[in-house]
């Protein structure tokens, strides 16, 4: 994917083209009807956890993803069984990923599975798992 990004002083901005070769996809359960704040926090937990795994296990992917601007995409699945099925498929590929279970301090019961973060990893590998999922 290519986007244009502006850089420099706002009074004189230079446009440069950025090509993303790496991304992270965070998959959320739509059946939980989390508040916007709760959803944001769960996505953040997943993103950080999976990024840390990539940093340890695939440092080159992690470093390239950081340099590109840390592209993230948030998509959804219907329920926990669909999320767990995707987690199993992801585990078979060896891609860095993180399944998040809520602590149960606010909106959800303790242990509720909320999101699965995949990557950062090369786009084509992540897309094999997540291409058909709708955006949040």
């Amino acid at each position: 994917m290519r986007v244009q990004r502006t850089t420099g002083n706002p009074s004189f901005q230079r446009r440069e083209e950025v090509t993303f070769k790496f991304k992270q996809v965070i998959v959320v359960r739509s059946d939980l009807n989390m508040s916007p704040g709760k959803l944001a926090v769960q996505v953040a937990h997943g993103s950080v956890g999976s990024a840390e795994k990539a940093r340890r296990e695939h440092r080159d992917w992690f470093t390239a993803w950081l340099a590109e601007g840390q592209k993230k995409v948030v998509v959804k699945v219907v329920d926990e069984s669909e999320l767990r099925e995707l987690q199993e498929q992801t585990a078979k590929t060896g891609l860095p990923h993180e399944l998040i279970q809520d602590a149960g301090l606010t909106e959800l019961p303790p242990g509720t599975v909320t999101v699965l973060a995949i990557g950062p990893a090369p786009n084509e590998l992540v897309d094999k798992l997540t291409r058909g999922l709708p955006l949040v």
Side-chain angles (χ1 to χ4, degrees), residues 31-47:
D31 63 320
L32 294 176
N33 297 314
M34 293 179 274
S35 70
K38 184 66 170 181
L39 179 63
V41 169
Q42 296 301 300
V43 167
H45 287 321
S47 178

Side-chain angles (χ1 to χ4, degrees), residues 2-136:
R2 293 182 181 172
V3 297
Q4 286 195 347
R5 176 172 61 186
T6 56
T7 60
N9 184 326
S11 62
F12 178 75
Q13 293 187 340
R14 175 175 60 101
R15 291 185 183 263
E16 62 183 44
E17 193 172 283
V18 179
T19 302
F20 294 102
K21 294 181 182 175
F22 296 86
K23 70 178 162 188
Q24 183 180 64
V25 173
I26 302 94
V27 186
V28 303
R29 286 178 55 190
S30 59
D31 63 320
L32 294 176
N33 297 314
M34 293 179 274
S35 70
K38 184 66 170 181
L39 179 63
V41 169
Q42 296 301 300
V43 167
H45 287 321
S47 178
V48 171
S50 191
E52 276 297 304
K53 284 186 179 176
R55 185 181 62 79
R56 288 190 310 269
E57 299 168 8
H58 298 279
R59 186 170 287 273
D60 54 336
W61 293 355
F62 178 78
T63 303
W65 175 71
L66 282 177
E68 290 178 351
Q70 305 166 43
K71 179 180 178 182
K72 297 170 198 73
V73 179
V74 182
V75 297
K76 61 187 174 183
V77 293
V78 174
D79 56 21
E80 182 178 352
S81 65
E82 193 175 345
L83 192 69
R84 287 191 180 274
E85 181 180 323
L86 183 58
Q87 190 272 333
E88 289 176 18
Q89 292 171 357
T90 304
K92 290 176 184 175
T93 68
L95 293 178
H97 62 283
E98 184 79 9
L99 188 69
I100 300 299
Q101 293 185 341
D102 191 64
L105 302 176
T106 56
E107 297 177 18
L108 302 170
T112 302
V113 174
T114 57
V115 305
L116 171 67
I118 304 169
N123 288 338
E124 62 274 7
L125 299 179
V126 177
D127 287 346
K128 287 179 183 178
L129 297 164
T130 63
R131 179 177 288 120
L133 298 175
L135 295 173
V136 168

